[in-house]
Amino acid sequence: MKKNPLKGSRTLILSVLIPLMFPQVMPEPLRWIWLTLVALVVLKRLGIISFGLDRSACDEGETTSSKSSASDQDGVTHRGEIVAHGSAPYQFDEANRLSYYITLRNERGDDRTVWGVDLKRVAQETTLAVGDTVALEFLGREAVVVKQPVRNEQGHVVNHRKVSTHRYSWKAHVLPV
């Protein structure tokens, strides 16, 4: 089943149609830049590309994936077969703190890794196992303050600082095969 990247987005549709239907609204070079940006947004919504800020400084409660970032809208669902899950340094970077991850493989064979400390609770409560086909539903996020390590030039932790961030909440459903 293919996602419709324009579903429910009148603003996105208008952002394409107005520059095309009324070229006098924008000078040509700006119009092509604008349309390129709109195309990038559509490709991101399809999960084909990802872009955004570097999240290496974020808390392990943030979610990311190998192909695209999770949306901040309630009800976003990631579906697929679990190929791996467990605790690891956030984004598999040894410089980051431990977090919990679940890697899903969709029907096309693409892997998506979802990160978040709440996923550990979800995996234990739902008794998730490698090979299960699941739907991970994003329930929302809450503001939290966490301690982030401050490292020196050699990479050693020399202090901690408080950082305001968000922790994501999840629910999992094991799907019939």
Side-chain angles (χ1 to χ4, degrees):
M1 182 169 79
K2 296 199 182 230
K3 288 193 243 177
N4 180 356
L6 303 176
K7 181 180 180 187
S9 181
R10 290 182 184 149
T11 305
L12 186 60
I13 293 169
L14 289 174
S15 67
V16 172
L17 291 179
I18 289 174
L20 291 176
M21 293 174 64
F22 305 103
Q24 67 275 16
V25 173
M26 261 184 226
E28 187 171 353
L30 184 58
R31 186 170 55 245
W32 288 112
I33 292 169
W34 178 256
L35 292 173
T36 301
L37 291 174
V38 171
L40 288 172
V41 168
V42 170
L43 291 173
K44 182 177 180 182
R45 285 189 180 186
L46 286 171
I48 295 171
I49 64 169
S50 87
F51 57 86
L53 299 175
D54 179 16
R55 293 183 168 212
S56 61
C58 293
D59 173 55
E60 70 280 0
E62 295 287 340
T63 60
T64 63
S65 70
S66 57
K67 298 245 177 197
S68 66
S69 298
S71 172
D72 289 340
Q73 298 174 0
D74 291 353
V76 170
T77 303
H78 303 283
R79 297 177 192 273
E81 178 185 346
I82 297 176
V83 294
H85 69 97
S87 292
Y90 179 63
Q91 294 185 333
F92 303 111
D93 181 348
E94 294 299 325
N96 292 329
R97 295 172 52 180
L98 284 180
S99 185
Y100 203 86
Y101 73 96
I102 298 177
T103 301
L104 301 175
R105 181 166 293 144
N106 66 18
E107 293 174 348
R108 294 181 299 191
D110 298 328
D111 289 351
R112 174 184 301 249
T113 301
V114 182
W115 291 90
V117 292
D118 190 48
L119 290 173
K120 183 175 185 177
R121 176 195 58 81
V122 169
Q124 291 171 343
E125 287 179 2
T126 317
T127 60
L128 300 179
V130 172
D132 287 346
T133 301
V134 298
L136 290 177
E137 182 181 356
F138 177 68
L139 300 176
R141 66 184 192 164
E142 67 177 283
V144 294
V145 176
V146 297
K147 288 183 180 178
Q148 182 181 46
V150 176
R151 300 179 185 276
N152 62 14
E153 294 81 26
Q154 291 80 29
H156 297 95
V157 176
V158 294
N159 202 352
H160 286 83
R161 65 180 174 158
K162 291 183 179 180
V163 176
S164 296
T165 187
H166 292 90
R167 184 148 298 145
Y168 289 75
S169 297
W170 296 90
K171 181 169 50 170
H173 307 282
V174 178
L175 302 173
V177 179

